[in-house]
PDB file of all heavy atoms in Angstrom:
ATOM      1  N   THR A  15      -8.203 -15.835 -54.115  1.00 96.00           N
ATOM      2  CA  THR A  15      -9.267 -14.960 -53.662  1.00 96.00           C
ATOM      3  C   THR A  15      -8.892 -13.501 -53.573  1.00 96.00           C
ATOM      4  O   THR A  15      -9.756 -12.647 -53.430  1.00 96.00           O
ATOM      5  CB  THR A  15      -9.813 -15.429 -52.287  1.00 96.00           C
ATOM      6  OG1 THR A  15      -8.789 -15.283 -51.312  1.00 96.00           O
ATOM      7  CG2 THR A  15     -10.231 -16.909 -52.368  1.00 96.00           C
ATOM      8  N   GLY A  16      -7.601 -13.204 -53.636  1.00 96.00           N
ATOM      9  CA  GLY A  16      -7.183 -11.834 -53.635  1.00 96.00           C
ATOM     10  C   GLY A  16      -6.992 -11.248 -52.217  1.00 96.00           C
ATOM     11  O   GLY A  16      -7.187 -11.918 -51.205  1.00 96.00           O
ATOM     12  N   VAL A  17      -6.638  -9.986 -52.196  1.00 97.00           N
ATOM     13  CA  VAL A  17      -6.342  -9.297 -50.930  1.00 97.00           C
ATOM     14  C   VAL A  17      -7.648  -8.913 -50.241  1.00 97.00           C
ATOM     15  O   VAL A  17      -8.558  -8.398 -50.865  1.00 97.00           O
ATOM     16  CB  VAL A  17      -5.470  -8.041 -51.203  1.00 97.00           C
ATOM     17  CG1 VAL A  17      -5.132  -7.381 -49.862  1.00 97.00           C
ATOM     18  CG2 VAL A  17      -4.219  -8.381 -51.953  1.00 97.00           C
ATOM     19  N   ASN A  18      -7.675  -9.171 -48.945  1.00 97.00           N
ATOM     20  CA  ASN A  18      -8.809  -8.733 -48.146  1.00 97.00           C
ATOM     21  C   ASN A  18      -8.476  -7.520 -47.257  1.00 97.00           C
ATOM     22  O   ASN A  18      -9.279  -6.655 -47.045  1.00 97.00           O
ATOM     23  CB  ASN A  18      -9.303  -9.895 -47.261  1.00 97.00           C
ATOM     24  CG  ASN A  18     -10.463  -9.507 -46.375  1.00 97.00           C
ATOM     25  OD1 ASN A  18     -11.575  -9.291 -46.868  1.00 97.00           O
ATOM     26  ND2 ASN A  18     -10.227  -9.400 -45.048  1.00 97.00           N
ATOM     27  N   HIS A  19      -7.235  -7.537 -46.710  1.00 98.00           N
ATOM     28  CA  HIS A  19      -6.807  -6.452 -45.819  1.00 98.00           C
ATOM     29  C   HIS A  19      -5.309  -6.381 -45.739  1.00 98.00           C
ATOM     30  O   HIS A  19      -4.561  -7.262 -46.198  1.00 98.00           O
ATOM     31  CB  HIS A  19      -7.418  -6.638 -44.461  1.00 98.00           C
ATOM     32  CG  HIS A  19      -6.993  -7.862 -43.696  1.00 98.00           C
ATOM     33  ND1 HIS A  19      -7.545  -9.090 -43.896  1.00 98.00           N
ATOM     34  CD2 HIS A  19      -6.001  -8.082 -42.789  1.00 98.00           C
ATOM     35  CE1 HIS A  19      -6.972 -10.013 -43.141  1.00 98.00           C
ATOM     36  NE2 HIS A  19      -6.000  -9.410 -42.453  1.00 98.00           N
ATOM     37  N   ILE A  20      -4.834  -5.314 -45.133  1.00 98.00           N
ATOM     38  CA  ILE A  20      -3.409  -5.097 -44.892  1.00 98.00           C
ATOM     39  C   ILE A  20      -3.143  -5.232 -43.409  1.00 98.00           C
ATOM     40  O   ILE A  20      -3.960  -4.808 -42.574  1.00 98.00           O
ATOM     41  CB  ILE A  20      -2.963  -3.732 -45.446  1.00 98.00           C
ATOM     42  CG1 ILE A  20      -1.454  -3.576 -45.403  1.00 98.00           C
ATOM     43  CG2 ILE A  20      -3.633  -2.593 -44.730  1.00 98.00           C
ATOM     44  CD1 ILE A  20      -0.927  -2.387 -46.207  1.00 98.00           C
ATOM     45  N   GLU A  21      -2.009  -5.842 -43.066  1.00 98.00           N
ATOM     46  CA  GLU A  21      -1.630  -6.053 -41.685  1.00 98.00           C
ATOM     47  C   GLU A  21      -0.374  -5.251 -41.377  1.00 98.00           C
ATOM     48  O   GLU A  21       0.623  -5.372 -42.096  1.00 98.00           O
ATOM     49  CB  GLU A  21      -1.378  -7.529 -41.399  1.00 98.00           C
ATOM     50  CG  GLU A  21      -0.983  -7.808 -39.914  1.00 98.00           C
ATOM     51  CD  GLU A  21      -0.558  -9.263 -39.691  1.00 98.00           C
ATOM     52  OE1 GLU A  21       0.002  -9.860 -40.628  1.00 98.00           O
ATOM     53  OE2 GLU A  21      -0.806  -9.777 -38.590  1.00 98.00           O
ATOM     54  N   LEU A  22      -0.449  -4.478 -40.284  1.00 98.00           N
ATOM     55  CA  LEU A  22       0.689  -3.670 -39.830  1.00 98.00           C
ATOM     56  C   LEU A  22       1.193  -4.309 -38.554  1.00 98.00           C
ATOM     57  O   LEU A  22       0.446  -4.380 -37.540  1.00 98.00           O
ATOM     58  CB  LEU A  22       0.283  -2.216 -39.581  1.00 98.00           C
ATOM     59  CG  LEU A  22      -0.507  -1.549 -40.747  1.00 98.00           C
ATOM     60  CD1 LEU A  22      -0.916  -0.145 -40.336  1.00 98.00           C
ATOM     61  CD2 LEU A  22       0.338  -1.545 -42.014  1.00 98.00           C
ATOM     62  N   ARG A  23       2.485  -4.721 -38.528  1.00 97.00           N
ATOM     63  CA  ARG A  23       2.983  -5.562 -37.500  1.00 97.00           C
ATOM     64  C   ARG A  23       4.019  -4.878 -36.565  1.00 97.00           C
ATOM     65  O   ARG A  23       4.709  -5.530 -35.780  1.00 97.00           O
ATOM     66  CB  ARG A  23       3.638  -6.803 -38.107  1.00 97.00           C
ATOM     67  CG  ARG A  23       2.717  -7.592 -38.974  1.00 97.00           C
ATOM     68  CD  ARG A  23       3.428  -8.586 -39.895  1.00 97.00           C
ATOM     69  NE  ARG A  23       4.343  -9.428 -39.176  1.00 97.00           N
ATOM     70  CZ  ARG A  23       3.986 -10.581 -38.596  1.00 97.00           C
ATOM     71  NH1 ARG A  23       2.744 -10.976 -38.586  1.00 97.00           N
ATOM     72  NH2 ARG A  23       4.881 -11.337 -37.996  1.00 97.00           N
ATOM     73  N   MET A  24       4.146  -3.556 -36.659  1.00 97.00           N
ATOM     74  CA  MET A  24       5.278  -2.871 -36.020  1.00 97.00           C
ATOM     75  C   MET A  24       4.938  -2.171 -34.670  1.00 97.00           C
ATOM     76  O   MET A  24       5.798  -1.536 -34.073  1.00 97.00           O
ATOM     77  CB  MET A  24       5.878  -1.845 -36.970  1.00 97.00           C
ATOM     78  CG  MET A  24       4.961  -0.633 -37.262  1.00 97.00           C
ATOM     79  SD  MET A  24       3.601  -0.979 -38.390  1.00 97.00           S
ATOM     80  CE  MET A  24       4.430  -1.037 -39.958  1.00 97.00           C
ATOM     81  N   PHE A  25       3.706  -2.322 -34.175  1.00 98.00           N
ATOM     82  CA  PHE A  25       3.326  -1.610 -32.956  1.00 98.00           C
ATOM     83  C   PHE A  25       3.905  -2.312 -31.742  1.00 98.00           C
ATOM     84  O   PHE A  25       3.638  -3.505 -31.539  1.00 98.00           O
ATOM     85  CB  PHE A  25       1.800  -1.536 -32.824  1.00 98.00           C
ATOM     86  CG  PHE A  25       1.112  -0.551 -33.680  1.00 98.00           C
ATOM     87  CD1 PHE A  25       1.370  -0.461 -35.038  1.00 98.00           C
ATOM     88  CD2 PHE A  25       0.163   0.306 -33.148  1.00 98.00           C
ATOM     89  CE1 PHE A  25       0.734   0.466 -35.824  1.00 98.00           C
ATOM     90  CE2 PHE A  25      -0.513   1.245 -33.933  1.00 98.00           C
ATOM     91  CZ  PHE A  25      -0.218   1.300 -35.282  1.00 98.00           C
ATOM     92  N   ASP A  26       4.633  -1.627 -30.885  1.00 98.00           N
ATOM     93  CA  ASP A  26       5.002  -2.172 -29.602  1.00 98.00           C
ATOM     94  C   ASP A  26       3.799  -2.193 -28.674  1.00 98.00           C
ATOM     95  O   ASP A  26       2.842  -1.370 -28.820  1.00 98.00           O
ATOM     96  CB  ASP A  26       6.082  -1.284 -28.909  1.00 98.00           C
ATOM     97  CG  ASP A  26       7.485  -1.664 -29.337  1.00 98.00           C
ATOM     98  OD1 ASP A  26       7.653  -2.703 -30.026  1.00 98.00           O
ATOM     99  OD2 ASP A  26       8.415  -0.952 -28.943  1.00 98.00           O
ATOM    100  N   LEU A  27       3.809  -3.097 -27.695  1.00 98.00           N
ATOM    101  CA  LEU A  27       2.843  -2.989 -26.590  1.00 98.00           C
ATOM    102  C   LEU A  27       3.099  -1.668 -25.865  1.00 98.00           C
ATOM    103  O   LEU A  27       4.225  -1.316 -25.537  1.00 98.00           O
ATOM    104  CB  LEU A  27       2.996  -4.140 -25.613  1.00 98.00           C
ATOM    105  CG  LEU A  27       2.628  -5.547 -26.087  1.00 98.00           C
ATOM    106  CD1 LEU A  27       2.838  -6.543 -24.978  1.00 98.00           C
ATOM    107  CD2 LEU A  27       1.180  -5.590 -26.557  1.00 98.00           C
ATOM    108  N   ASN A  28       2.054  -0.969 -25.574  1.00 98.00           N
ATOM    109  CA  ASN A  28       2.159   0.334 -24.817  1.00 98.00           C
ATOM    110  C   ASN A  28       1.674   0.105 -23.418  1.00 98.00           C
ATOM    111  O   ASN A  28       0.461   0.093 -23.157  1.00 98.00           O
ATOM    112  CB  ASN A  28       1.338   1.388 -25.542  1.00 98.00           C
ATOM    113  CG  ASN A  28       1.449   2.746 -24.896  1.00 98.00           C
ATOM    114  OD1 ASN A  28       2.055   2.872 -23.814  1.00 98.00           O
ATOM    115  ND2 ASN A  28       0.928   3.780 -25.496  1.00 98.00           N
ATOM    116  N   PRO A  29       2.594  -0.056 -22.459  1.00 98.00           N
ATOM    117  CA  PRO A  29       2.171  -0.327 -21.082  1.00 98.00           C
ATOM    118  C   PRO A  29       1.578   0.891 -20.367  1.00 98.00           C
ATOM    119  O   PRO A  29       1.021   0.754 -19.273  1.00 98.00           O
ATOM    120  CB  PRO A  29       3.498  -0.724 -20.397  1.00 98.00           C
ATOM    121  CG  PRO A  29       4.538   0.012 -21.170  1.00 98.00           C
ATOM    122  CD  PRO A  29       4.051   0.022 -22.586  1.00 98.00           C
ATOM    123  N   LEU A  30       1.615   2.056 -21.042  1.00 98.00           N
ATOM    124  CA  LEU A  30       1.069   3.252 -20.390  1.00 98.00           C
ATOM    125  C   LEU A  30      -0.446   3.371 -20.507  1.00 98.00           C
ATOM    126  O   LEU A  30      -1.042   4.205 -19.864  1.00 98.00           O
ATOM    127  CB  LEU A  30       1.742   4.472 -21.036  1.00 98.00           C
ATOM    128  CG  LEU A  30       3.271   4.535 -20.935  1.00 98.00           C
ATOM    129  CD1 LEU A  30       3.774   5.773 -21.672  1.00 98.00           C
ATOM    130  CD2 LEU A  30       3.752   4.527 -19.502  1.00 98.00           C
ATOM    131  N   VAL A  31      -1.049   2.451 -21.283  1.00 97.00           N
ATOM    132  CA  VAL A  31      -2.504   2.439 -21.424  1.00 97.00           C
ATOM    133  C   VAL A  31      -2.993   1.009 -21.161  1.00 97.00           C
ATOM    134  O   VAL A  31      -2.299   0.026 -21.527  1.00 97.00           O
ATOM    135  CB  VAL A  31      -3.005   2.946 -22.795  1.00 97.00           C
ATOM    136  CG1 VAL A  31      -2.728   4.418 -22.944  1.00 97.00           C
ATOM    137  CG2 VAL A  31      -2.395   2.143 -23.934  1.00 97.00           C
ATOM    138  N   ASP A  32      -4.168   0.868 -20.570  1.00 95.00           N
ATOM    139  CA  ASP A  32      -4.647  -0.451 -20.166  1.00 95.00           C
ATOM    140  C   ASP A  32      -4.773  -1.425 -21.363  1.00 95.00           C
ATOM    141  O   ASP A  32      -4.508  -2.614 -21.209  1.00 95.00           O
ATOM    142  CB  ASP A  32      -6.028  -0.320 -19.488  1.00 95.00           C
ATOM    143  CG  ASP A  32      -5.933   0.300 -18.098  1.00 95.00           C
ATOM    144  OD1 ASP A  32      -4.760   0.485 -17.638  1.00 95.00           O
ATOM    145  OD2 ASP A  32      -6.944   0.600 -17.499  1.00 95.00           O
ATOM    146  N   ALA A  33      -5.226  -0.929 -22.481  1.00 97.00           N
ATOM    147  CA  ALA A  33      -5.446  -1.811 -23.624  1.00 97.00           C
ATOM    148  C   ALA A  33      -4.185  -2.321 -24.222  1.00 97.00           C
ATOM    149  O   ALA A  33      -4.199  -3.387 -24.880  1.00 97.00           O
ATOM    150  CB  ALA A  33      -6.256  -1.069 -24.695  1.00 97.00           C
ATOM    151  N   GLY A  34      -3.091  -1.639 -24.009  1.00 98.00           N
ATOM    152  CA  GLY A  34      -1.835  -1.999 -24.667  1.00 98.00           C
ATOM    153  C   GLY A  34      -1.592  -1.285 -25.984  1.00 98.00           C
ATOM    154  O   GLY A  34      -0.519  -1.408 -26.580  1.00 98.00           O
ATOM    155  N   VAL A  35      -2.560  -0.480 -26.394  1.00 98.00           N
ATOM    156  CA  VAL A  35      -2.397   0.310 -27.622  1.00 98.00           C
ATOM    157  C   VAL A  35      -3.249   1.575 -27.465  1.00 98.00           C
ATOM    158  O   VAL A  35      -4.367   1.513 -26.966  1.00 98.00           O
ATOM    159  CB  VAL A  35      -2.774  -0.494 -28.884  1.00 98.00           C
ATOM    160  CG1 VAL A  35      -4.251  -0.919 -28.870  1.00 98.00           C
ATOM    161  CG2 VAL A  35      -2.438   0.273 -30.153  1.00 98.00           C
ATOM    162  N   GLU A  36      -2.730   2.671 -27.836  1.00 98.00           N
ATOM    163  CA  GLU A  36      -3.384   3.974 -27.779  1.00 98.00           C
ATOM    164  C   GLU A  36      -4.264   4.148 -29.036  1.00 98.00           C
ATOM    165  O   GLU A  36      -3.814   3.963 -30.169  1.00 98.00           O
ATOM    166  CB  GLU A  36      -2.325   5.101 -27.696  1.00 98.00           C
ATOM    167  CG  GLU A  36      -2.824   6.500 -27.973  1.00 98.00           C
ATOM    168  CD  GLU A  36      -3.922   6.958 -27.041  1.00 98.00           C
ATOM    169  OE1 GLU A  36      -3.693   6.876 -25.806  1.00 98.00           O
ATOM    170  OE2 GLU A  36      -4.975   7.417 -27.517  1.00 98.00           O
ATOM    171  N   GLU A  37      -5.527   4.529 -28.807  1.00 98.00           N
ATOM    172  CA  GLU A  37      -6.470   4.666 -29.916  1.00 98.00           C
ATOM    173  C   GLU A  37      -5.975   5.642 -30.978  1.00 98.00           C
ATOM    174  O   GLU A  37      -6.083   5.404 -32.171  1.00 98.00           O
ATOM    175  CB  GLU A  37      -7.810   5.134 -29.367  1.00 98.00           C
ATOM    176  CG  GLU A  37      -8.878   5.316 -30.439  1.00 98.00           C
ATOM    177  CD  GLU A  37     -10.202   5.816 -29.880  1.00 98.00           C
ATOM    178  OE1 GLU A  37     -10.407   5.788 -28.657  1.00 98.00           O
ATOM    179  OE2 GLU A  37     -11.059   6.293 -30.716  1.00 98.00           O
ATOM    180  N   LYS A  38      -5.358   6.748 -30.548  1.00 98.00           N
ATOM    181  CA  LYS A  38      -4.901   7.756 -31.514  1.00 98.00           C
ATOM    182  C   LYS A  38      -3.827   7.180 -32.442  1.00 98.00           C
ATOM    183  O   LYS A  38      -3.716   7.582 -33.617  1.00 98.00           O
ATOM    184  CB  LYS A  38      -4.345   8.993 -30.748  1.00 98.00           C
ATOM    185  CG  LYS A  38      -5.428   9.825 -30.073  1.00 98.00           C
ATOM    186  CD  LYS A  38      -4.789  11.116 -29.544  1.00 98.00           C
ATOM    187  CE  LYS A  38      -5.787  12.004 -28.792  1.00 98.00           C
ATOM    188  NZ  LYS A  38      -6.120  11.396 -27.483  1.00 98.00           N
ATOM    189  N   ASP A  39      -3.015   6.239 -31.927  1.00 98.00           N
ATOM    190  CA  ASP A  39      -1.994   5.643 -32.820  1.00 98.00           C
ATOM    191  C   ASP A  39      -2.619   4.774 -33.892  1.00 98.00           C
ATOM    192  O   ASP A  39      -2.136   4.719 -35.006  1.00 98.00           O
ATOM    193  CB  ASP A  39      -1.052   4.806 -31.947  1.00 98.00           C
ATOM    194  CG  ASP A  39      -0.181   5.626 -31.038  1.00 98.00           C
ATOM    195  OD1 ASP A  39       0.092   6.831 -31.356  1.00 98.00           O
ATOM    196  OD2 ASP A  39       0.239   5.161 -29.974  1.00 98.00           O
ATOM    197  N   VAL A  40      -3.678   4.054 -33.533  1.00 98.00           N
ATOM    198  CA  VAL A  40      -4.384   3.200 -34.532  1.00 98.00           C
ATOM    199  C   VAL A  40      -5.039   4.092 -35.557  1.00 98.00           C
ATOM    200  O   VAL A  40      -4.977   3.830 -36.754  1.00 98.00           O
ATOM    201  CB  VAL A  40      -5.414   2.302 -33.827  1.00 98.00           C
ATOM    202  CG1 VAL A  40      -6.131   1.450 -34.883  1.00 98.00           C
ATOM    203  CG2 VAL A  40      -4.735   1.379 -32.814  1.00 98.00           C
ATOM    204  N   ILE A  41      -5.670   5.189 -35.124  1.00 98.00           N
ATOM    205  CA  ILE A  41      -6.277   6.118 -36.062  1.00 98.00           C
ATOM    206  C   ILE A  41      -5.237   6.753 -36.954  1.00 98.00           C
ATOM    207  O   ILE A  41      -5.455   6.945 -38.176  1.00 98.00           O
ATOM    208  CB  ILE A  41      -7.120   7.178 -35.313  1.00 98.00           C
ATOM    209  CG1 ILE A  41      -8.276   6.507 -34.574  1.00 98.00           C
ATOM    210  CG2 ILE A  41      -7.651   8.247 -36.292  1.00 98.00           C
ATOM    211  CD1 ILE A  41      -9.073   7.410 -33.690  1.00 98.00           C
ATOM    212  N   PHE A  42      -4.103   7.099 -36.373  1.00 98.00           N
ATOM    213  CA  PHE A  42      -3.020   7.680 -37.178  1.00 98.00           C
ATOM    214  C   PHE A  42      -2.569   6.735 -38.278  1.00 98.00           C
ATOM    215  O   PHE A  42      -2.300   7.160 -39.399  1.00 98.00           O
ATOM    216  CB  PHE A  42      -1.813   8.072 -36.251  1.00 98.00           C
ATOM    217  CG  PHE A  42      -0.672   8.655 -37.031  1.00 98.00           C
ATOM    218  CD1 PHE A  42      -0.758   9.905 -37.582  1.00 98.00           C
ATOM    219  CD2 PHE A  42       0.526   7.938 -37.170  1.00 98.00           C
ATOM    220  CE1 PHE A  42       0.334  10.448 -38.293  1.00 98.00           C
ATOM    221  CE2 PHE A  42       1.579   8.439 -37.892  1.00 98.00           C
ATOM    222  CZ  PHE A  42       1.498   9.680 -38.437  1.00 98.00           C
ATOM    223  N   ALA A  43      -2.479   5.441 -37.948  1.00 98.00           N
ATOM    224  CA  ALA A  43      -2.130   4.460 -38.984  1.00 98.00           C
ATOM    225  C   ALA A  43      -3.164   4.477 -40.100  1.00 98.00           C
ATOM    226  O   ALA A  43      -2.785   4.408 -41.287  1.00 98.00           O
ATOM    227  CB  ALA A  43      -2.041   3.064 -38.349  1.00 98.00           C
ATOM    228  N   GLN A  44      -4.417   4.571 -39.743  1.00 98.00           N
ATOM    229  CA  GLN A  44      -5.488   4.650 -40.760  1.00 98.00           C
ATOM    230  C   GLN A  44      -5.304   5.901 -41.621  1.00 98.00           C
ATOM    231  O   GLN A  44      -5.383   5.852 -42.838  1.00 98.00           O
ATOM    232  CB  GLN A  44      -6.863   4.653 -40.107  1.00 98.00           C
ATOM    233  CG  GLN A  44      -8.017   4.831 -41.116  1.00 98.00           C
ATOM    234  CD  GLN A  44      -9.335   5.219 -40.424  1.00 98.00           C
ATOM    235  OE1 GLN A  44      -9.312   5.796 -39.341  1.00 98.00           O
ATOM    236  NE2 GLN A  44     -10.445   4.920 -41.084  1.00 98.00           N
TER     237      GLN A  44
END
């Protein structure tokens, strides 16, 4: 069926934000 998406597996949990990940870091990856 081919590629649907790419997975990035290197993000640490970020305890400094409630979600565990900072939105700006996800956008930076994009």
Side-chain angles (χ1 to χ4, degrees):
T15 65
V17 183
N18 179 70
H19 63 276
I20 188 168
E21 179 187 33
L22 310 176
R23 302 163 53 84
M24 68 285 284
F25 284 48
D26 273 353
L27 292 181
N28 183 352
L30 303 177
V31 292
D32 289 352
V35 63
E36 164 61 52
E37 181 183 344
K38 290 188 181 72
D39 291 332
V40 179
I41 295 173
F42 179 70
Q44 177 196 23

